Amino acid sequence: MYTRRNGSRLKLNETSKNFLIKRTCSTNKSSISSLNTSNSSKFFQFEDKTYPEDGKLLDLLSENESQQKSQIYHLQMSFFQIHNEESVQQRYALSDDVNNPQLRRNITYNWHYHNDHQQYLFQDTISFSFSIKKHGIKEMLRAKMVDWMIEVFGNYPTTTTTQTYFRAVGLLDAFLKKTSMYYQDADVHLMGISCIFIATKLEDIYHIPLSDIVIRVGHNKFNSSKVKSMEQTILETLQFNVYFPTPLDYLQNLFYKCFSLNDNYTLQNIYETCVYILKMCMHDLHMLNYTPNLLSAAIVGYAVREYIDTKQENKKADNLKLNKQSQDSIVKIAKVDFNTFNECQKQISELINTFKCKYPDLHNLELFS
């Protein structure tokens, strides 16, 4: 079931960034330089078919926070309005009669929606690993393109969404992996612009117009014919399969299973931190060697663990116990291997700690997230 997703662009507040930034190696922050593809041009400047058990992990954290006289509610995520039969009956309370037609329609709809969505995630998965292996494109150049995309969408905050960014990056990697053509560094700029154009038309209600893509984003390096020609090449290479799940889809799905629907500040903060880390991982091709489901699970586990360690006022022994319980719960909910889950978390931690050293000239993630 393919649906258009829309939502406001998330802003990562300073609290969310704290544990990410405090341990990164220090570098002198140089001025932001746009990605070059030639000496004369610069880039834009400026299968589970049962109901999900809602909030499995939420109860664990709620029980711990209740000892501190605080309460966690569910995260409000409009992307997933899925409830099991019992919660639907409690929420709608349409009638004591379980055969109430409206209630049965709600239950049936939610059941089919959930099954379709799970099939969409786990049957239509696309691997983004080794996307530039057969091309003459440097890893650092791809990272600059991914970072530059953050700047582009950051300059259209009212019309583009977080999902648009992940769609554009996914299209770029999927195209590079599937194409039989050989591409080099000089081709990345046009490919990136075209992927941005496709993504904004797919995800945004008011997409970035072609005139902006040519003039404002591409600075007239490529005319509209070249952009549309590359767009056609990308679409035909992917056989128009452009609605594959993005890593953000897996993250949102897992976060819903862990915490259900919630607008609480604490969980919103954890969620925004997860999105921030996921964007960071998009820069590094080695992180894309992990399946998006595993990567999402490791990110959620890392963010929850850091929250417990930095925010909870319990004794160290209590935090260790709570951390173990939460990590075990995430592994069980995501249905991933525990050892691989731990390995992926270690790689995430290493990337966070070395990101500024590894990508010293890339600042758009910090500036526009």
Side-chain angles (χ1 to χ4, degrees), residues 34-50:
S34 297
L35 172 60
N36 290 309
T37 55
S38 70
N39 292 331
S40 60
S41 67
K42 290 188 176 181
F43 270 29
F44 182 59
Q45 299 176 13
F46 27 122
E47 204 114 348
D48 178 10
K49 293 192 176 182
T50 60

Side-chain angles (χ1 to χ4, degrees), residues 167-322:
R167 178 70 58 197
V169 176
L171 287 168
L172 177 65
D173 285 329
F175 170 69
L176 286 172
K177 189 164 185 178
K178 194 168 183 179
T179 183
S180 58
M181 299 291 291
Y182 178 80
Y183 289 102
Q184 301 183 32
D185 288 348
D187 302 311
V188 174
H189 191 173
L190 179 58
M191 280 188 291
I193 288 175
S194 300
C195 287
I196 288 171
F197 188 44
I198 297 172
T200 187
K201 289 195 290 184
L202 289 172
E203 299 293 342
D204 302 328
I205 296 176
Y206 302 104
H207 67 81
I208 302 174
L210 180 59
S211 58
D212 272 25
I213 294 292
V214 172
I215 300 172
R216 191 178 175 196
V217 178
H219 289 276
N220 289 309
K221 182 183 177 183
F222 309 105
N223 58 34
S224 59
S225 297
K226 285 189 176 181
V227 174
K228 288 190 287 187
S229 177
M230 177 56 74
E231 176 189 19
Q232 181 178 354
T233 300
I234 293 171
L235 293 174
E236 290 177 349
T237 300
L238 296 178
Q239 298 179 322
F240 293 87
N241 178 23
V242 292
Y243 259 127
F244 50 79
T246 69
L248 184 63
D249 289 317
Y250 292 89
L251 178 64
Q252 290 170 342
N253 182 61
L254 178 60
F255 206 86
Y256 168 78
K257 286 184 175 180
C258 289
F259 302 110
S260 190
L261 304 176
N262 195 290
D263 56 2
N264 173 263
Y265 173 80
T266 299
L267 284 183
Q268 182 69 27
N269 194 23
I270 293 175
Y271 173 71
E272 292 177 6
T273 299
C274 290
V275 174
Y276 186 89
I277 298 173
L278 186 58
K279 285 183 178 181
M280 186 178 287
C281 290
M282 293 299 100
H283 290 70
D284 197 310
L285 273 176
H286 301 285
M287 297 306 304
L288 299 183
N289 291 336
Y290 296 104
T291 65
N293 183 51
L294 175 61
L295 182 62
S296 297
I299 289 173
V300 172
Y302 182 90
V304 169
R305 189 185 68 202
E306 290 295 322
Y307 165 73
I308 292 172
D309 288 342
T310 58
K311 298 299 181 183
Q312 303 296 72
E313 298 175 357
N314 292 346
K315 296 179 181 178
K316 185 176 181 180
D318 294 334
N319 283 351
L320 288 173
K321 181 180 178 181
L322 184 59

Side-chain angles (χ1 to χ4, degrees), residues 20-30 351-361 363 366:
L20 296 178
I21 298 174
K22 66 181 180 182
R23 294 182 305 187
T24 54
C25 57
S26 59
T27 58
N28 292 326
K29 190 170 182 180
S30 58
L351 177 63
I352 290 172
N353 293 330
T354 62
F355 187 81
K356 287 187 177 179
C357 290
K358 194 170 184 178
Y359 305 106
D361 297 324
H363 305 290
E366 184 177 350

Side-chain angles (χ1 to χ4, degrees), residues 10 14 21 31 55 67 79 107 130 134 138 140 157 186 205 229 274 321:
L10 292 173
E14 293 305 317
I21 298 174
S31 58
Q67 298 173 3
F79 308 107
I107 293 171
F130 306 110
K134 62 182 179 181
K138 300 181 183 66
M140 181 58 73
I205 296 176
S229 177
C274 290
K321 181 180 178 181

